[in-house]
Amino acid sequence: QVQLVESGGGLVQAGGSLRLSCVASGIDFSINHMGWYRQAPGKQRELVAAITRGGSINYADSVKGRFTISRDNAKNTVYLQLNSLKSEDTAVYYCTADRIWGSILRGAGDNWGQGTQVTVSS
């Protein structure tokens, strides 16, 4: 059974930082591409950052220079470091895994976590 479990969300003041983690089980993590998405109330889910199995990275323009995605294949974990947080970063953050890169970029990955809430107060 595939499981993606996110953690690390919380309430933080604007300008602060958080580090999100997503631990995967039930999949061969090293051959999966990974992504972080977010969904704010009343808005569509959007791609935040994604990393290929080889370590190539894509970021949404809105988070470039502030967020950093990384992965540790030995720990079956993908991370998202959130710095210089803004109120508009408030959302539920989800991780996703898929063997097809295009599926990650389209939000059509086979596997999703339950999400972790990030709330940024201004």
Side-chain angles (χ1 to χ4, degrees):
Q1 181 182 1
V2 178
Q3 276 195 314
L4 301 176
V5 180
E6 302 98 333
S7 62
L11 174 64
V12 63
Q13 288 187 333
S17 298
L18 286 172
R19 189 194 196 201
L20 308 184
S21 300
C22 172
V23 180
S25 60
I27 60 172
D28 187 341
F29 184 81
S30 65
I31 66 171
N32 272 264
H33 310 297
M34 302 297 295
W36 284 97
Y37 277 75
R38 67 185 180 187
Q39 187 166 22
K43 294 188 176 182
Q44 287 191 331
R45 186 174 57 187
E46 63 174 353
L47 176 66
V48 176
I51 185 167
T52 69
R53 54 178 169 250
S56 297
I57 291 171
N58 279 26
Y59 291 107
D61 287 343
S62 60
V63 306
K64 282 181 181 176
R66 300 189 299 122
F67 291 7
T68 302
I69 188 171
S70 62
R71 65 187 294 160
D72 185 338
N73 289 347
K75 295 182 178 181
N76 284 6
T77 302
V78 61
Y79 303 98
L80 186 67
Q81 178 68 40
L82 290 65
N83 296 331
S84 302
L85 282 161
K86 306 175 181 180
S87 56
E88 51 263 44
D89 295 318
T90 295
V92 178
Y93 284 70
Y94 301 90
C95 74
T96 183
D98 201 279
R99 296 184 181 189
I100 300 174
W101 181 235
S103 295
I104 293 292
L105 297 180
R106 294 193 308 271
D110 283 342
N111 306 294
W112 292 83
Q114 81 291 347
T116 186
Q117 176 71 47
V118 172
T119 303
V120 183
S121 63
S122 55

Coordinates of all heavy atoms in Angstrom, one line a residue, residues 11-63:
L11 N 1.5 27.3 12.0 CA 1.2 28.7 12.0 C 2.5 29.5 12.2 O 3.3 29.2 13.1 CB 0.2 29.1 13.1 CG -0.1 30.6 13.3 CD1 -0.8 31.1 12.1 CD2 -0.9 30.7 14.6
V12 N 2.8 30.4 11.3 CA 4.0 31.2 11.3 C 3.7 32.6 10.9 O 2.8 32.9 10.2 CB 5.1 30.5 10.4 CG1 4.7 30.5 9.0 CG2 6.5 31.1 10.6
Q13 N 4.5 33.5 11.5 CA 4.4 34.9 11.1 C 5.0 35.2 9.7 O 5.9 34.5 9.3 CB 5.0 35.8 12.1 CG 4.3 35.9 13.4 CD 4.9 36.9 14.4 OE1 6.1 37.2 14.3 NE2 4.0 37.5 15.2
A14 N 4.5 36.2 9.0 CA 5.1 36.6 7.8 C 6.6 36.8 7.9 O 7.0 37.4 8.9 CB 4.4 37.8 7.2
G15 N 7.3 36.3 7.0 CA 8.8 36.5 7.0 C 9.5 35.2 7.7 O 10.7 35.1 7.6
G16 N 8.7 34.4 8.3 CA 9.2 33.2 8.9 C 9.5 32.1 8.0 O 9.3 32.2 6.8
S17 N 9.8 30.9 8.6 CA 10.2 29.8 7.8 C 9.6 28.5 8.4 O 9.2 28.4 9.6 CB 11.7 29.6 7.9 OG 12.4 30.7 7.3
L18 N 9.4 27.5 7.5 CA 8.9 26.2 7.9 C 9.7 25.2 7.0 O 10.1 25.5 5.9 CB 7.4 26.0 7.7 CG 6.5 26.7 8.7 CD1 5.0 26.6 8.2 CD2 6.6 26.1 10.1
R19 N 9.8 24.0 7.5 CA 10.3 22.9 6.6 C 9.3 21.8 6.6 O 9.0 21.2 7.7 CB 11.6 22.4 7.2 CG 12.3 21.4 6.3 CD 13.4 20.7 7.0 NE 14.4 20.0 6.1 CZ 15.2 19.0 6.4 NH1 15.2 18.6 7.7 NH2 16.0 18.5 5.5
L20 N 8.8 21.5 5.4 CA 7.8 20.4 5.3 C 8.6 19.1 4.9 O 9.6 19.2 4.1 CB 6.8 20.7 4.2 CG 6.1 22.1 4.3 CD1 5.0 22.2 3.2 CD2 5.4 22.2 5.7
S21 N 8.0 18.0 5.3 CA 8.6 16.7 5.0 C 7.5 15.8 4.4 O 6.3 15.9 4.8 CB 9.2 16.0 6.2 OG 10.3 16.8 6.7
C22 N 7.9 14.9 3.5 CA 6.9 13.9 3.0 C 7.6 12.6 3.0 O 8.6 12.5 2.2 CB 6.4 14.3 1.6 SG 5.4 13.1 0.8
V23 N 7.2 11.7 3.8 CA 7.8 10.4 3.8 C 7.0 9.4 3.0 O 5.7 9.3 3.2 CB 7.9 9.9 5.3 CG1 8.6 8.5 5.3 CG2 8.7 10.8 6.1
A24 N 7.6 8.7 2.1 CA 6.9 7.7 1.2 C 7.2 6.3 1.7 O 8.3 6.0 2.1 CB 7.4 7.9 -0.2
S25 N 6.1 5.5 1.5 CA 6.3 4.1 1.7 C 5.4 3.3 0.7 O 4.5 3.9 0.2 CB 5.9 3.7 3.2 OG 4.5 4.0 3.4
G26 N 5.8 2.1 0.4 CA 5.1 1.3 -0.5 C 5.4 1.6 -2.0 O 4.7 1.0 -2.9
I27 N 6.4 2.4 -2.2 CA 6.9 2.7 -3.6 C 8.4 2.6 -3.6 O 9.0 2.7 -2.6 CB 6.4 4.1 -4.1 CG1 7.0 5.2 -3.2 CG2 4.9 4.2 -4.2 CD1 6.8 6.6 -3.7
D28 N 8.9 2.4 -4.8 CA 10.4 2.5 -5.0 C 10.7 4.0 -5.1 O 10.6 4.6 -6.2 CB 10.8 1.8 -6.2 CG 12.3 1.7 -6.4 OD1 13.0 2.5 -5.7 OD2 12.8 0.8 -7.1
F29 N 11.0 4.6 -4.0 CA 11.1 6.1 -4.0 C 12.1 6.6 -5.0 O 11.9 7.6 -5.6 CB 11.5 6.5 -2.5 CG 11.6 8.0 -2.3 CD1 10.4 8.7 -2.1 CD2 12.8 8.7 -2.4 CE1 10.5 10.1 -1.9 CE2 12.9 10.0 -2.2 CZ 11.7 10.7 -1.9
S30 N 13.2 5.9 -5.1 CA 14.3 6.4 -5.9 C 14.0 6.6 -7.4 O 14.7 7.4 -8.1 CB 15.6 5.5 -5.8 OG 15.3 4.2 -6.3
I31 N 13.0 5.9 -7.9 CA 12.7 6.0 -9.3 C 11.4 6.8 -9.5 O 10.9 7.0 -10.7 CB 12.5 4.6 -10.0 CG1 11.3 3.9 -9.4 CG2 13.7 3.8 -9.8 CD1 10.9 2.6 -10.2
N32 N 10.9 7.4 -8.5 CA 9.8 8.3 -8.6 C 10.2 9.8 -8.6 O 11.1 10.2 -7.9 CB 8.8 8.1 -7.4 CG 7.8 7.0 -7.7 OD1 6.7 7.2 -8.1 ND2 8.2 5.7 -7.4
H33 N 9.5 10.5 -9.5 CA 9.6 11.9 -9.4 C 8.7 12.4 -8.3 O 7.6 11.8 -8.0 CB 9.2 12.6 -10.7 CG 9.9 12.0 -11.9 ND1 11.2 12.0 -12.1 CD2 9.4 11.3 -13.0 CE1 11.5 11.4 -13.2 NE2 10.4 11.0 -13.8
M34 N 9.0 13.5 -7.7 CA 8.2 14.0 -6.5 C 7.8 15.5 -6.7 O 8.6 16.3 -7.3 CB 9.0 13.9 -5.2 CG 9.5 12.5 -4.9 SD 8.1 11.3 -4.6 CE 7.4 12.0 -3.1
G35 N 6.7 15.8 -6.2 CA 6.2 17.2 -6.3 C 5.5 17.7 -5.0 O 5.0 16.9 -4.3
W36 N 5.5 19.0 -4.9 CA 4.7 19.6 -3.8 C 3.7 20.5 -4.5 O 4.0 21.3 -5.4 CB 5.6 20.5 -2.9 CG 6.4 19.7 -1.9 CD1 7.7 19.3 -2.0 CD2 6.0 19.2 -0.6 NE1 8.1 18.6 -0.9 CE2 7.0 18.6 0.0 CE3 4.8 19.3 0.1 CZ2 7.0 18.0 1.2 CZ3 4.7 18.7 1.3 CH2 5.8 18.0 1.9
Y37 N 2.5 20.4 -4.1 CA 1.4 21.2 -4.5 C 0.8 21.9 -3.3 O 1.0 21.5 -2.2 CB 0.3 20.4 -5.2 CG 0.6 20.1 -6.7 CD1 1.5 19.2 -7.1 CD2 -0.1 20.8 -7.7 CE1 1.8 18.9 -8.4 CE2 0.1 20.5 -9.0 CZ 1.1 19.6 -9.4 OH 1.4 19.4 -10.7
R38 N 0.0 23.0 -3.6 CA -0.8 23.6 -2.5 C -2.1 24.0 -3.0 O -2.3 24.3 -4.2 CB 0.0 24.8 -2.0 CG 0.1 26.0 -2.9 CD 1.0 27.1 -2.3 NE 1.2 28.2 -3.2 CZ 2.0 29.2 -2.9 NH1 2.8 29.2 -1.8 NH2 2.1 30.2 -3.8
Q39 N -3.0 24.1 -2.1 CA -4.4 24.6 -2.4 C -4.9 25.5 -1.3 O -5.0 25.1 -0.1 CB -5.3 23.4 -2.6 CG -6.7 23.8 -3.1 CD -7.5 22.6 -3.6 OE1 -7.3 21.5 -3.2 NE2 -8.5 22.9 -4.5
A40 N -5.2 26.7 -1.7 CA -5.7 27.7 -0.7 C -7.3 27.6 -0.9 O -7.8 27.2 -1.9 CB -5.2 29.1 -1.1
P41 N -7.9 28.1 0.2 CA -9.4 28.1 0.1 C -10.0 28.8 -1.1 O -9.5 30.0 -1.3 CB -9.8 28.8 1.5 CG -8.7 28.5 2.4 CD -7.4 28.5 1.5
G42 N -10.9 28.2 -1.8 CA -11.5 28.8 -2.9 C -10.6 28.9 -4.2 O -11.0 29.5 -5.2
K43 N -9.4 28.3 -4.1 CA -8.5 28.4 -5.3 C -8.2 27.0 -5.8 O -8.4 26.0 -5.0 CB -7.2 29.1 -4.9 CG -7.4 30.6 -4.6 CD -6.1 31.3 -4.4 CE -6.3 32.8 -4.2 NZ -5.0 33.5 -4.0
Q44 N -7.7 26.9 -7.0 CA -7.3 25.6 -7.5 C -6.0 25.2 -7.0 O -5.1 26.0 -6.6 CB -7.2 25.7 -9.1 CG -8.5 25.8 -9.8 CD -8.4 25.7 -11.3 OE1 -7.4 26.0 -11.9 NE2 -9.4 25.1 -11.9
R45 N -5.8 23.9 -6.9 CA -4.5 23.4 -6.5 C -3.4 23.8 -7.5 O -3.7 23.8 -8.7 CB -4.6 21.9 -6.5 CG -3.4 21.2 -5.9 CD -3.6 19.7 -5.7 NE -4.0 19.1 -7.0 CZ -4.4 17.8 -7.1 NH1 -4.5 17.1 -6.1 NH2 -4.7 17.3 -8.3
E46 N -2.2 24.2 -7.0 CA -1.2 24.7 -7.9 C 0.1 24.0 -7.5 O 0.4 23.7 -6.4 CB -1.0 26.2 -7.8 CG -0.6 26.7 -6.5 CD -0.4 28.2 -6.5 OE1 -0.4 28.8 -7.6 OE2 -0.1 28.7 -5.4
L47 N 1.0 23.8 -8.6 CA 2.3 23.3 -8.4 C 3.2 24.3 -7.7 O 3.2 25.5 -8.1 CB 2.9 22.9 -9.7 CG 4.3 22.4 -9.7 CD1 4.4 21.0 -8.9 CD2 4.9 22.2 -11.1
V48 N 3.9 23.9 -6.7 CA 4.8 24.7 -5.9 C 6.2 24.4 -6.4 O 7.0 25.3 -6.8 CB 4.7 24.5 -4.4 CG1 5.7 25.4 -3.7 CG2 3.3 24.9 -4.0
A49 N 6.6 23.1 -6.3 CA 8.0 22.7 -6.7 C 7.9 21.2 -7.0 O 7.1 20.5 -6.5 CB 8.9 23.0 -5.6
A50 N 8.8 20.8 -7.9 CA 8.9 19.4 -8.2 C 10.4 19.0 -8.5 O 11.2 19.9 -8.9 CB 8.1 19.1 -9.5
I51 N 10.7 17.8 -8.2 CA 12.1 17.3 -8.4 C 12.1 15.9 -9.0 O 11.3 15.1 -8.7 CB 12.8 17.3 -7.0 CG1 14.3 16.9 -7.2 CG2 12.1 16.3 -6.0 CD1 15.1 17.1 -5.9
T52 N 12.9 15.8 -10.1 CA 12.9 14.5 -10.8 C 13.7 13.5 -10.0 O 14.4 13.8 -9.0 CB 13.6 14.7 -12.1 OG1 15.0 14.9 -11.9 CG2 13.0 15.8 -13.0
R53 N 13.7 12.3 -10.4 CA 14.5 11.2 -9.7 C 15.9 11.5 -9.8 O 16.7 11.1 -9.0 CB 14.1 9.8 -10.2 CG 14.2 9.7 -11.7 CD 13.9 8.3 -12.1 NE 13.7 8.1 -13.6 CZ 12.6 7.9 -14.2 NH1 11.5 7.8 -13.4 NH2 12.5 7.8 -15.5
G54 N 16.3 12.3 -10.8 CA 17.7 12.6 -11.0 C 18.1 13.9 -10.4 O 19.3 14.3 -10.4
G55 N 17.2 14.6 -9.8 CA 17.5 15.8 -9.0 C 17.2 17.1 -9.8 O 17.5 18.2 -9.2
S56 N 16.7 17.1 -11.0 CA 16.3 18.3 -11.6 C 15.1 18.9 -11.0 O 14.2 18.2 -10.5 CB 16.1 18.1 -13.1 OG 17.2 17.6 -13.8
I57 N 15.0 20.2 -11.0 CA 14.0 20.9 -10.2 C 13.2 22.0 -11.0 O 13.8 22.7 -11.8 CB 14.7 21.6 -8.9 CG1 15.2 20.5 -8.0 CG2 13.7 22.5 -8.2 CD1 16.0 21.1 -6.8
N58 N 11.9 22.0 -10.7 CA 11.1 23.1 -11.2 C 10.5 23.8 -10.0 O 10.1 23.2 -9.0 CB 10.0 22.6 -12.1 CG 10.4 22.2 -13.5 OD1 11.5 22.0 -13.7 ND2 9.4 22.2 -14.4
Y59 N 10.3 25.1 -10.1 CA 9.6 25.9 -9.1 C 8.6 26.8 -9.8 O 8.8 27.3 -10.9 CB 10.6 26.9 -8.4 CG 11.6 26.2 -7.5 CD1 12.9 26.1 -7.8 CD2 11.2 25.7 -6.3 CE1 13.8 25.5 -7.0 CE2 12.1 25.0 -5.4 CZ 13.4 25.0 -5.8 OH 14.3 24.4 -5.0
A60 N 7.5 27.0 -9.1 CA 6.5 28.1 -9.5 C 7.2 29.4 -9.4 O 8.0 29.6 -8.4 CB 5.3 28.0 -8.6
D61 N 6.9 30.3 -10.3 CA 7.5 31.7 -10.2 C 7.3 32.3 -8.9 O 8.1 33.1 -8.4 CB 7.0 32.5 -11.4 CG 7.5 32.1 -12.7 OD1 8.5 31.4 -12.8 OD2 6.9 32.5 -13.7
S62 N 6.1 32.1 -8.3 CA 5.8 32.8 -7.0 C 6.6 32.4 -5.8 O 6.6 33.1 -4.8 CB 4.3 32.5 -6.7 OG 4.1 31.1 -6.6
V63 N 7.4 31.3 -6.0 CA 8.1 30.8 -4.8 C 9.6 30.8 -5.1 O 10.4 30.5 -4.2 CB 7.7 29.4 -4.3 CG1 6.2 29.4 -4.1 CG2 8.0 28.3 -5.3

